[in-house]
Amino acid sequence: MKLFSFPAAALEKAIHKRVLSLPPPHREWFAERWQQKPYKKAFIEHKAMPLVTLVAKGKTWDDATFAEALQEWDATFYEAETEVLSPLVQGDGLLQLMQKNLPAERATQLLEKLQQRRAAAGPDAPGASND
């Protein structure tokens, strides 16, 4: 997927701000990983930036292009990651202007993508059953 030219530093700042408002189990889980440079870099490149691209370009792409880009975005999300990224789709903070004209059905598809991937994320995610 061709990435949207969005400043990574601004995205990192928005993520950091969101982490501060996460509920405790998600905050600890995500903050611990966020401090690790390889995780932070991979999270920005493979999860957050593609989401920003889909939000920004999703307003003008036709249905086929949007569906193809969504399909190409092959990332697995832990529950805490979904909690961090969901507000970026829902109109919170940094991306409000980009989200303004995003069709509601596309926003719903993005949120479903985050939720759908969460179930496949594995047993060490917060909130996952370790039975």
Side-chain angles (χ1 to χ4, degrees), residues 77-99:
F77 298 94
Y78 292 97
E79 192 169 346
E81 292 173 335
T82 299
E83 293 295 323
V84 168
L85 293 174
S86 293
L88 298 180
V89 177
Q90 297 166 328
D92 184 43
L94 178 73
L95 298 176
Q96 279 182 323
L97 291 176
M98 279 192 227
Q99 297 147 334

Side-chain angles (χ1 to χ4, degrees), residues 7-108:
L11 185 56
E12 285 183 31
K13 184 177 178 182
I15 291 169
H16 179 72
K17 183 179 174 187
R18 173 64 183 139
V19 169
L20 298 175
S21 65
L22 287 175
H26 297 308
R27 183 175 42 235
E28 281 92 27
W29 185 93
F30 191 84
E32 179 182 316
R33 284 155 183 80
W34 188 244
Q35 298 302 315
Q36 301 168 12
K37 197 170 187 173
Y39 174 84
K40 187 179 206 175
K41 182 178 184 217
F43 183 79
I44 294 292
E45 288 179 9
H46 302 293
K47 296 180 180 182
M49 199 60 79
L51 178 63
V52 170
T53 301
L54 287 164
V55 168
K57 302 268 186 173
K59 297 183 290 191
T60 56
W61 281 343
D62 59 50
D63 289 340
T65 305
F66 182 79
E68 182 181 336
L70 191 60
Q71 183 68 32
E72 286 176 8
W73 185 29
D74 187 28
T76 301
F77 298 94
Y78 292 97
E79 192 169 346
E81 292 173 335
T82 299
E83 293 295 323
V84 168
L85 293 174
S86 293
L88 298 180
V89 177
Q90 297 166 328
D92 184 43
L94 178 73
L95 298 176
Q96 279 182 323
L97 291 176
M98 279 192 227
Q99 297 147 334
K100 191 172 183 177
N101 295 321
L102 182 67
E105 63 274 2
R106 291 193 179 173
T108 301

